[in-house]
Amino acid sequence: DGGITQSPKYLFRKEGQNVTLSCEQNLNHDAMYWYRQDPGQGLRLIYYSQIVNDFQKGDIAEGYSVSREKKESFPLTVTSAQKNPTAFYLCASSIQAGVLFNEQFFGPGTRLTVL
Amino acid sequence: AQSVAQPEDQVNVAEGNPLTVKCTYSVSGNPYLFWYVQYPNRGLQFLLKYITGDNLVKGSYGFEAEFNKSQTSFHLKKPSALVSDSALYFCAVRALFSGGYNKLIFGAGTRLAVHP
């Protein structure tokens, strides 16, 4: 999972709560991404950031928010507006978003469960 | 629509036998293709990628993949499977959209089970 850390590993949320998932990278990558993984559906893009202080919505951004105040950090907040947040969340980074052949490196993931 | 298909939910193979995990894609422009592996409750690990050039790409852990432009396929292969190869495998393609936006599109994943 080299160079990308996510915390916590497991997170439990009560209905109506906002929770924040941490993602930190020490790879000096410009671009960072958040994905949601559900069984049998592959990975779906929530938000991405190509550079500090800039981020864009992905395919399923509703109910989520992000910030990118530092190059190495890209926290994801799951708000109470997200109706079905139970999933495995993966953070990733790549050297530059605009270079199409760059692979993404993934963190170990956070499993969020709504109680 | 730009997409990736992994037609098999699960592939079973005996240890020591060759394995193939299938992937087909649909994308505008040149395809940039990737394979990742995921072990239980872990993140994805990059295996290999196709950018251009030789249709046979070699990657980590003895895996390779064959790019076939006419069949729009990028199948993952290994000559001799190990029990430790048992995991979830994802194929992905880089897709371009209007405004210069691009993203990785992932297949649904194929679970590989290697039996002793």
Side-chain angles (χ1 to χ4, degrees), chain A residues 1 9 33 35 37 40-43 45 48 59 88 90 97-104 106-108 111, chain B residues 32 34 36 38 41-46 49-51 88 90 94-96 101-104 106-109:
Chain A
D1 301 323
K9 188 175 176 67
Y33 311 81
Y35 292 92
Q37 184 178 15
Q41 293 193 43
L43 277 68
L45 183 64
Y48 69 102
D59 299 321
F88 192 50
L90 288 162
V99 179
L100 300 180
F101 50 79
N102 282 342
E103 61 270 27
Q104 293 180 9
F106 284 80
R111 187 167 296 281
Chain B
Y32 299 97
F34 304 81
Y36 289 85
Q38 185 180 34
N41 293 312
R42 301 288 299 277
L44 275 65
Q45 295 178 33
F46 169 73
K49 65 183 176 183
Y50 173 81
I51 302 172
L88 187 58
F90 288 99
R94 180 77 71 178
L96 268 177
Y101 163 57
N102 75 84
K103 71 172 185 179
L104 272 181
F106 286 87

Side-chain angles (χ1 to χ4, degrees), chain A residues 9-51:
Chain A
K9 188 175 176 67
Y10 298 97
L11 185 58
F12 298 91
R13 191 194 93 168
K14 294 181 180 179
E15 298 258 357
Q17 272 185 337
N18 291 353
V19 291
T20 297
L21 283 59
S22 169
C23 177
E24 304 277 332
Q25 54 100 357
N26 61 4
L27 301 169
N28 200 32
H29 286 174
D30 284 331
M32 297 187 75
Y33 311 81
W34 274 106
Y35 292 92
R36 172 181 169 138
Q37 184 178 15
D38 296 282
Q41 293 193 43
L43 277 68
R44 293 183 289 169
L45 183 64
I46 304 172
Y47 268 98
Y48 69 102
S49 169
Q50 299 188 66
I51 198 167

Side-chain angles (χ1 to χ4, degrees), chain A residues 48-115:
Chain A
Y48 69 102
S49 169
Q50 299 188 66
I51 198 167
V52 175
N53 293 321
D54 180 69
F55 50 83
Q56 306 294 331
K57 292 181 179 180
D59 299 321
I60 56 165
E62 184 175 351
Y64 300 97
S65 65
V66 293
S67 63
R68 187 86 187 276
E69 297 176 0
K70 298 186 296 182
K71 186 175 185 177
E72 59 269 24
S73 179
F74 191 41
L76 173 74
T77 296
V78 184
T79 75
S80 56
Q82 170 50 238
K83 296 307 177 189
N84 184 24
T86 295
F88 192 50
Y89 290 87
L90 288 162
C91 178
S93 70
S94 65
I95 296 174
Q96 289 177 323
V99 179
L100 300 180
F101 50 79
N102 282 342
E103 61 270 27
Q104 293 180 9
F105 295 85
F106 284 80
T110 292
R111 187 167 296 281
L112 173 62
T113 302
V114 174
L115 301 174

Side-chain angles (χ1 to χ4, degrees), chain B residues 73-94:
Chain B
S73 67
F74 189 54
H75 300 332
L76 182 70
K77 302 184 179 189
K78 188 173 182 182
S80 178
L82 300 172
V83 172
S84 57
D85 292 330
S86 300
L88 187 58
Y89 290 81
F90 288 99
C91 181
V93 66
R94 180 77 71 178

Side-chain angles (χ1 to χ4, degrees), chain B residues 32-79:
Chain B
Y32 299 97
L33 296 151
F34 304 81
W35 274 103
Y36 289 85
V37 61
Q38 185 180 34
Y39 296 97
N41 293 312
R42 301 288 299 277
L44 275 65
Q45 295 178 33
F46 169 73
L47 281 178
L48 50 80
K49 65 183 176 183
Y50 173 81
I51 302 172
T52 187
D54 197 346
N55 289 343
L56 187 63
V57 179
K58 294 190 182 298
S60 306
Y61 313 120
F63 284 93
E64 57 192 25
E66 187 171 10
F67 172 68
N68 187 316
K69 187 174 183 178
S70 63
Q71 297 185 3
T72 61
S73 67
F74 189 54
H75 300 332
L76 182 70
K77 302 184 179 189
K78 188 173 182 182

